[in-house]
Amino acid sequence: MTTNLPSVYDPISTEARWQKFWEEKLLYKADPNRDGEPYSIMIPPPNVTGKLHMGHAFDNTLIDCLVRYHRMKGFNTLYLPGTDHASIAVQTIIEKQLKEEGKTRYELGREKFLERAWEWKAQSKGTIVGQLRRLGVSVDWTRERFTMDSGLSKAVLEAFVRLYDEGKIYRGNYLVNWCPASQSAVSDLEVDQKEVDGKLWHFRYPLTDGSGYVEVATTRPETMLGDTGVAVNPSDERYNKLIGRTLTLPIMNRQIPIIGDELVDPSFGTGCVKVTPAHDPNDFEMGKRHDLPFINIMNKDGTLNENAGEFQGQDRFVARKNVIAKLEADGVLVKIENYKHTVPYSERGKVPVEPLLSTQWFVKIRPMADKALEFFEQNSPEFYPQRWGKVYKDWLVKLKDWVISRQLWWGHQIPAWYAISETNGEITENTPFVVAKSEEEAWEKAKSQFGEEVKLERDADVLDTWFSSGLWPFSTLGWPQETEDLKKYYPTSVLITGFDIIFFWVARMTMMAGHFTEEMPFKDVYIHGLLLDENGKKMSKSKGNGIDPLLLIDKYGTDALRYTLVKEVIGVGQDIRFDYNRKTDESPSVEASRNFANKLWNAARFVMMNLDEETPQQLGVPEATELSDKWILSRFHQTVEETNSYMENYGMGEAAKGLYEFIWGDFCDWYIELVKSRLQEDAEPKSRKVAQQTLAYVLEGILKLLSPFMPHITEEIWHTLTQQPEDTGESLSLQKYPEANTQLIDSELESEFELLIGTIRTIRNLRAEADVKPSVKVTVNLQSESARERQILNTGERLIKDLAKVENLTIADTQKSDTVTKKKSQTALKLIFLGFLTLTLARVAYTVAITVENIPFFGTFFQFVGFGYSLWFIRVYLLPSKKRQELRQRFFKPSTEVNLPEVETSQPEELGEVATGVVGTVQVLLPLEGVIDMNALRGKLEKNLSKIEAEVQSLTGRLSNSKFVDKAPAEVVQGARDSLAEAEKQAEILRSRLERIN
């Protein structure tokens, strides 16, 4: 087996090989009889019609990180995969195909229709499952489930029949949300409320006795054809006297009563509201309270029926225009107002839903919701973050009965058979029925009730998809049978999902589980934020702003995408803006994670090239003696402790970020550099051995820590590092996750080493800013008033010199440097005073000399003597350095206040022009004279600054132009703002560099 890695990491081939290895070796097959505390998660089942989108990638990556972590911690894990049958989605696809063929599902027949649907499912399922495999999720593929497989179908039948027998499922005529596009009822949770700019139409309804009229306002004028009353608030003095009188409904010419009801808001419209019990939820309740007729005017496809009179057969929106025209022609249209209001849209059909009176199957939700609330009061399940628990609770409190029937063919057919022989061969609202788990059981029940000649017809509708999804946490484990899986892995450990699914799925599961298992289906609910596009918008098919994760996987590798998705999750429940360039299909964030993978790869190659072909096990555990070894082991175990803590508290993002900083910074950038000289063949043997042991030990630990996040690259490196043959079936993902050795954690040592690293980094930065060539060794002066810091710097002197390329290093006391400076200042004052005294004496001497000079003979003689003495004084006292020192000592005696420098340090001479930096309280001085051309550097920086300042001025001008800001595309304006911020930052850096060298 090779003992080193290829020079370049190839993620595509590597990831495919390990995914195949994991699956073929059944490494993630759960065993309920194996020891270990159970840890189980059921995959949120994607629609069988779907393709992998970024939401799937995000959700499943987070789940897989937790599962892999707990597996390595020794838990008996189960990560169960599966898909949802997606009733409406599949039905829509098949009907669209049939339409292209000029057929309908009714012409094809139910049996043939379902055959096509199953064929489509088989093709589509392979797509989504194959894509999930590419994510590297560590699921147990032997337990893969489908919401319409035989096991789950039995669970659905069991649940329906039990609820019906208990009186919690009933069939009734009720107002439902009807989607004309899919021609099916939809639940409140499948409705999107959209604010639209609409109209408010005002009409006059005349009193039957001809004494006047009332004015009503409506946003849906076509529904007036089904009005059976007009309501006013009993406390409204304008109208309360009219209560009990009748009106003549325009167009339809039928008499309708004026009723008084507290529900009416006197401030809305005119204070009079039309009542259409069969087409409005509030009107439905008023109709029941006042015993009004229920007149349905609409067909299931959105056209008007025979009860709409002359408008029969017209589409609802076409009929709206024609009704308005008719009312206007009849002189009863008063006015039309612009009106912004909320319209419910079908999430699936993407059309406005129609409140429609329909006979449907319902679940009495209150008993089940109340039970879930009881569990929640006992903190079960526990929500992360906690604020979503309140949302969940509020939703349970407000729940109404759940309509569970859908007018579709693809799905779980409702297990009810109608005795049509009792109602002339037709299914009506009053046709009796039996509920059973099978057709044979249904016949037995029907014959006992209606006789041997009974004729049965099964309900054509299917159950809401969420009915079967609500059973998912326990039906997938074999419920209603008491299987070993159910005993071991239920309740599951955690549900991980986005907040937008709480209403659809989370509460459905808690209600179903509470009722059927007397337990909550999961201990925790981790609600993550939404993954937003590059503009901070929610990704959706309708907006066309989705991002294909497979495209990024092909470009950067699975591990790079996984790591990016997890690393961005800083703070539980926060939304994440995904960094993406739609023009180039590139992501700087994912590219950075790929670079991180390459960094790890190259570091691992270097380590293995210096281990003399020995494994970490062969080398043994290091016993660190040198400072750098103790430091990296302390940092490693500190990171281990932090990572475990984060993972235990759903801090996957914080854990990933911490690992990134340790691996890239501490290990790759610093420790490997620190020990390179110790790995040479001529290095001291014991030191070399410890360096090898430490490198191998920490590298293997890193691979284990990182495995849940980047399972493929870590598996590849680990097998090479440990020389573990693949045919043994051993896997990094099954190794024990690192535990922190707290005895090796030395926070004080880490702080000390941070000072050394910070000092080296500062010197490197100063060299870079001053354009000092890498080959040039420099002189550096370090000053600190702290004796402890000076001691640390002295201890790490060799490291500083080696890694910062320093030839002469001076470490001094800042206070002493200040004292020397003070003494120099005092000396300067003495010199000034001496100069003043000398000038005064010189002036006196000059006056005397002038006087003497005026005496004959004496003047010339004194000039000659003075000139000769001056030459002698210069030769004797000024030219020799020793005499200069004697002269200085004679006039300026040293002060006893000046302390001698410490033994281990020396005081620098005048530094001239220097680049300066600060690390904590350490001043870093890098003399530049003789090292670089200062004028050239200063000129270069000033030229670059001038260019950047011009760019700042130009961008500021554009952004201050209101025409540009208001009319340019939002992305262009944002791009200009981003460019300005970057330019201002660059200008600030250049000014700082100029200040440091001036």
Side-chain angles (χ1 to χ4, degrees):
M1 181 175 178
T2 180
T3 58
N4 208 348
L5 300 166
S7 58
V8 178
Y9 174 55
D10 177 14
I12 303 302
S13 62
T14 301
E15 290 167 355
R17 188 173 78 257
W18 288 114
Q19 287 161 11
K20 182 180 179 182
F21 172 82
W22 295 328
E23 192 168 343
E24 287 182 348
K25 298 293 184 181
L26 300 177
L27 295 187
Y28 307 133
K29 179 177 172 60
D31 181 359
N33 297 313
R34 191 168 58 234
D35 292 336
E37 184 180 342
Y39 188 86
S40 59
I41 297 181
M42 308 294 125
I43 195 171
N47 284 351
V48 71
T49 59
K51 292 183 179 180
L52 187 71
H53 58 64
M54 199 59 79
H56 291 136
F58 181 41
D59 209 56
N60 283 284
T61 297
L62 291 177
I63 296 172
D64 194 51
C65 283
L66 280 178
V67 172
R68 286 179 176 273
Y69 166 77
H70 283 87
R71 184 181 292 115
M72 295 179 74
K73 294 289 286 186
F75 284 77
N76 186 335
T77 60
L78 168 63
Y79 185 11
L80 190 146
T83 48
D84 186 87
H85 62 276
S87 290
I88 296 176
V90 172
Q91 180 102 9
T92 302
I93 290 170
I94 304 303
E95 290 197 298
K96 184 177 180 181
Q97 292 176 351
L98 291 173
K99 186 176 181 181
E100 291 172 355
E101 299 169 12
K103 302 176 183 176
T104 67
R105 60 167 160 152
Y106 301 102
E107 292 171 343
L108 190 65
R110 186 172 193 131
E111 186 175 343
K112 293 293 184 182
F113 179 89
L114 291 178
E115 286 179 7
R116 288 190 62 154
W118 279 104
E119 290 173 3
W120 169 260
K121 174 261 177 186
Q123 298 171 8
S124 184
K125 172 180 172 290
T127 300
I128 187 68
V129 169
Q131 292 170 342
L132 283 173
R133 281 182 160 95
R134 287 205 65 185
L135 269 181
V137 290
S138 59
V139 299
D140 181 355
W141 288 109
T142 67
R143 282 175 166 79
E144 182 185 353
R145 305 306 300 267
F146 175 56
T147 49
M148 281 177 61
D149 66 27
S150 60
L152 269 67
S153 293
K154 288 179 182 177
V156 169
L157 282 172
E158 179 72 24
F160 186 96
V161 173
R162 276 201 207 178
L163 289 172
Y164 176 77
D165 290 344
E166 294 166 358
K168 293 183 175 64
I169 282 183
Y170 64 93
R171 181 173 182 257
N173 201 17
Y174 201 80
L175 202 66
V176 298
N177 297 309
W178 186 265
C179 173
S182 61
Q183 293 195 36
S184 176
V186 293
S187 72
D188 291 342
L189 303 180
E190 296 168 299
V191 172
D192 290 330
Q193 301 293 337
K194 295 184 179 181
E195 190 173 65
V196 300
D197 292 320
K199 303 288 184 182
L200 190 64
W201 287 271
H202 290 249
F203 306 119
R204 293 191 185 101
Y205 283 17
L207 289 162
T208 304
D209 61 11
S211 61
Y213 61 87
V214 298
E215 184 178 322
V216 300
T218 181
T219 59
R220 300 164 64 218
E222 70 280 6
T223 62
M224 59 87 62
L225 303 173
D227 284 358
T228 58
V230 168
V232 299
N233 193 297
S235 63
D236 191 338
E237 296 181 356
R238 295 173 297 173
Y239 306 113
N240 55 13
K241 294 179 181 178
L242 296 177
I243 295 173
R245 298 178 66 179
T246 61
L247 301 165
T248 299
L249 182 66
I251 299 178
M252 305 307 290
N253 294 316
R254 66 170 173 265
Q255 291 187 17
I256 58 176
I258 299 175
I259 62 174
D261 197 288
E262 297 287 347
L263 185 66
V264 177
D265 179 4
S267 64
F268 174 76
T270 63
C272 295
V273 296
K274 53 190 287 301
V275 182
T276 319
H279 293 283
D280 182 271
N282 291 329
D283 293 2
F284 178 82
E285 297 299 331
M286 282 196 287
K288 288 197 298 182
R289 282 195 294 271
H290 298 276
D291 199 24
L292 298 178
F294 285 68
I295 300 176
N296 176 26
I297 63 165
M298 199 163 296
N299 296 313
K300 292 182 177 180
D301 62 357
T303 60
L304 302 195
N305 62 22
E306 67 280 2
N307 293 327
E310 62 186 276
F311 304 100
Q312 181 180 358
Q314 297 181 9
D315 178 80
R316 54 181 169 159
F317 296 117
V318 173
R320 175 177 296 180
K321 295 178 182 179
N322 293 334
V323 166
I324 293 168
K326 174 68 172 174
L327 292 170
E328 185 175 19
D330 291 345
V332 296
L333 175 63
V334 179
K335 62 180 178 179
I336 304 173
E337 297 178 314
N338 292 326
Y339 185 65
K340 187 182 291 289
H341 65 121
T342 300
V343 174
Y345 273 71
S346 167
E347 187 187 56
R348 291 291 184 181
K350 309 302 180 186
V351 297
V353 298
E354 196 65 45
L356 189 68
L357 198 61
S358 176
T359 302
Q360 302 288 342
W361 290 88
F362 295 85
V363 172
K364 290 182 180 178
I365 214 70
R366 198 68 265 141
M368 300 171 71
D370 289 342
K371 192 161 192 174
L373 285 168
E374 289 177 15
F375 277 105
F376 184 68
E377 293 301 325
Q378 302 167 24
N379 208 31
S380 178
E382 187 169 357
F383 279 78
Y384 296 85
Q386 290 184 349
R387 67 177 182 273
W388 288 112
K390 184 179 184 305
V391 175
Y392 163 78
K393 178 181 178 181
D394 291 345
W395 188 81
L396 285 174
V397 169
K398 298 174 183 176
L399 269 180
K400 297 178 181 179
D401 284 359
W402 171 20
V403 54
I404 56 172
S405 47
R406 298 291 181 269
Q407 286 63 55
L408 305 169
W409 284 355
W410 173 248
H412 293 103
Q413 191 170 358
I414 291 174
W417 283 261
Y418 296 95
I420 57 174
S421 53
E422 304 299 306
T423 51
N424 299 320
E426 295 183 355
I427 298 177
T428 68
E429 294 178 18
N430 300 316
T431 302
F433 58 86
V434 294
V435 170
K437 295 178 183 178
S438 66
E439 188 170 359
E440 292 76 16
E441 183 182 341
W443 276 108
E444 290 177 9
K445 286 185 175 182
K447 287 178 181 179
S448 66
Q449 290 184 44
F450 309 108
E452 292 292 330
E453 302 301 319
V454 67
K455 293 182 180 179
L456 295 181
E457 183 176 332
R458 188 170 182 177
D459 195 309
D461 292 350
V462 299
L463 287 167
D464 176 13
T465 303
W466 295 108
F467 190 92
S468 54
S469 297
L471 306 173
W472 183 256
F474 49 96
S475 64
T476 50
L477 297 174
W479 184 90
Q481 305 302 316
E482 190 69 17
T483 64
E484 292 300 314
D485 278 2
L486 191 66
K487 293 176 186 177
K488 183 72 174 180
Y489 300 114
Y490 185 83
T492 62
S493 303
V494 61
L495 172 71
I496 296 180
T497 187
F499 66 80
D500 55 339
I501 209 77
I502 292 177
F503 317 109
F504 289 101
W505 191 34
V506 179
R508 301 263 194 244
M509 288 189 284
T510 59
M511 289 188 296
M512 290 287 208
H515 183 76
F516 290 115
T517 72
E518 297 293 332
E519 292 182 276
M520 286 294 94
F522 21 73
K523 297 170 185 174
D524 296 337
V525 177
Y526 172 82
I527 302 292
H528 59 68
L530 295 181
L531 194 65
L532 308 176
D533 71 5
E534 67 277 16
N535 298 312
K537 304 293 184 183
K538 182 179 178 180
M539 297 185 201
S540 71
K541 288 182 182 179
S542 59
K543 293 179 181 177
N545 65 337
I547 300 171
D548 184 358
L550 293 176
L551 188 152
L552 295 174
I553 287 175
D554 290 338
K555 188 183 292 285
Y556 302 111
T558 298
D559 282 347
L561 177 63
R562 283 174 60 117
Y563 200 69
T564 301
L565 293 173
V566 178
K567 190 161 67 72
E568 295 300 318
V569 186
I570 302 298
V572 178
Q574 300 298 314
D575 288 346
I576 300 166
R577 185 169 174 172
F578 194 82
D579 193 7
Y580 185 66
N581 185 326
R582 213 165 281 275
K583 293 180 180 179
T584 61
D585 288 325
E586 295 175 336
S587 170
S589 297
V590 184
E591 184 177 2
S593 294
R594 183 198 61 187
N595 295 341
F596 175 55
N598 290 337
K599 183 83 170 180
L600 175 64
W601 183 265
N602 292 330
R605 286 190 75 245
F606 173 82
V607 170
M608 283 184 264
M609 289 172 64
N610 287 279
L611 296 184
D612 298 333
E613 298 188 353
E614 289 191 285
T615 67
Q617 289 70 32
Q618 292 167 338
L619 286 166
V621 178
E623 293 185 9
T625 55
E626 297 197 25
L627 185 67
S628 58
D629 301 329
K630 290 180 179 180
W631 168 74
I632 196 63
L633 288 173
S634 178
R635 286 292 306 121
F636 170 71
H637 285 285
Q638 184 76 50
T639 303
V640 169
E641 188 173 60
E642 291 172 354
T643 303
N644 276 277
S645 177
Y646 281 133
M647 294 299 286
E648 294 295 333
N649 294 283
Y650 302 108
M652 286 83 80
E654 289 84 351
K657 190 171 184 292
L659 288 174
Y660 182 95
E661 292 170 352
F662 170 73
I663 295 168
W664 189 300
D666 295 338
F667 185 69
C668 297
D669 281 355
W670 290 107
Y671 184 69
I672 287 179
E673 291 297 317
L674 290 169
V675 299
K676 277 184 176 178
S677 60
R678 295 165 56 194
L679 296 172
Q680 303 299 319
E681 290 186 2
D682 58 354
E684 196 278 318
K686 185 176 180 181
S687 176
R688 184 171 186 268
K689 185 70 171 181
V690 173
Q692 289 176 321
Q693 290 174 324
T694 307
L695 281 169
Y697 175 82
V698 175
L699 176 58
E700 186 176 19
I702 283 172
L703 297 176
K704 291 176 180 177
L705 288 172
L706 195 59
S707 176
F709 305 91
M710 304 179 86
H712 306 88
I713 187 173
T714 52
E715 188 82 72
E716 179 78 5
I717 296 173
W718 182 79
H719 271 265
T720 307
L721 175 66
T722 60
Q723 299 177 33
Q724 185 69 244
E726 293 181 22
D727 57 9
T728 64
E730 283 294 322
S731 170
L732 171 63
S733 61
L734 300 181
Q735 303 305 303
K736 190 176 186 299
Y737 205 73
E739 295 286 345
N741 183 345
T742 55
Q743 293 182 345
L744 295 179
I745 298 176
D746 188 338
S747 299
E748 185 176 351
L749 171 64
E750 290 184 31
S751 298
E752 293 173 357
F753 218 83
E754 281 300 312
L755 178 65
L756 290 177
I757 290 175
T759 302
I760 294 168
R761 185 184 290 117
T762 300
I763 296 171
R764 287 175 168 179
N765 290 342
L766 293 176
R767 289 177 61 110
E769 290 179 0
D771 284 347
V772 178
K773 294 180 180 179
S775 60
V776 175
K777 288 196 171 185
V778 296
T779 295
V780 172
N781 175 245
L782 304 176
Q783 297 179 0
S784 174
E785 63 183 26
S786 166
R788 179 61 177 157
E789 287 186 342
R790 295 196 302 276
Q791 181 183 359
I792 295 168
L793 294 172
N794 275 295
T795 303
E797 180 179 359
R798 180 175 62 82
L799 300 177
I800 296 172
K801 285 185 173 182
D802 288 348
L803 296 185
K805 294 188 177 180
V806 176
E807 185 171 18
N808 299 311
L809 181 65
T810 302
I811 302 169
D813 186 342
T814 305
Q815 292 180 337
K816 292 180 180 179
S817 299
D818 292 343
T819 302
V820 171
T821 302
K822 181 177 179 182
K823 295 307 174 184
K824 288 182 178 180
S825 300
Q826 293 172 347
T827 301
L829 290 173
K830 288 182 178 180
L831 287 172
I832 293 171
F833 175 74
L834 179 62
F836 176 75
L837 181 61
T838 302
L839 286 174
T840 303
L841 293 174
R843 182 65 179 172
V844 172
Y846 175 76
T847 304
V848 173
I850 292 297
T851 305
V852 173
E853 189 178 298
N854 290 330
I855 302 174
F857 175 72
F858 279 96
T860 303
F861 175 76
F862 275 109
Q863 288 177 353
F864 177 77
V865 172
F867 178 73
Y869 179 79
S870 297
L871 291 175
W872 174 83
F873 185 85
I874 292 170
R875 183 181 69 80
V876 173
Y877 286 101
L878 298 183
L879 291 180
S881 60
K882 185 175 181 181
K883 288 295 183 180
R884 288 201 306 273
Q885 291 286 349
E886 291 176 359
L887 188 64
R888 187 183 298 116
Q889 293 291 333
R890 182 182 302 173
F891 286 98
F892 310 111
K893 300 205 179 282
S895 170
T896 57
E897 297 176 7
V898 180
N899 296 320
L900 293 175
E902 294 173 321
V903 176
E904 76 274 10
T905 65
S906 60
Q907 190 61 47
E909 296 293 330
E910 292 293 333
L911 297 175
E913 297 193 18
V914 297
T916 64
V918 177
V919 184
T921 64
V922 176
Q923 298 179 45
V924 182
L925 307 175
L926 173 62
L928 299 176
E929 287 188 359
V931 179
I932 61 169
D933 185 338
M934 290 297 297
N935 290 330
L937 174 62
R938 193 176 288 110
K940 178 182 176 181
L941 293 176
E942 289 173 345
K943 181 179 179 181
N944 290 341
L945 178 60
S946 177
K947 182 179 178 181
I948 291 295
E949 287 177 335
E951 184 180 352
V952 169
Q953 186 175 2
S954 173
L955 289 167
T956 302
R958 289 182 72 191
L959 290 169
S960 62
N961 185 340
S962 59
K963 292 183 179 179
F964 169 72
V965 174
D966 295 339
K967 295 183 179 181
E971 59 271 19
V972 174
V973 176
Q974 185 59 46
R977 291 194 178 107
D978 294 342
S979 298
L980 176 60
E982 181 63 27
E984 289 175 336
K985 184 177 180 180
Q986 291 179 14
E988 183 181 348
I989 292 172
L990 288 170
R991 292 190 194 99
S992 176
R993 290 182 64 183
L994 277 168
E995 287 176 4
R996 280 198 289 269
I997 66 171
N998 285 332

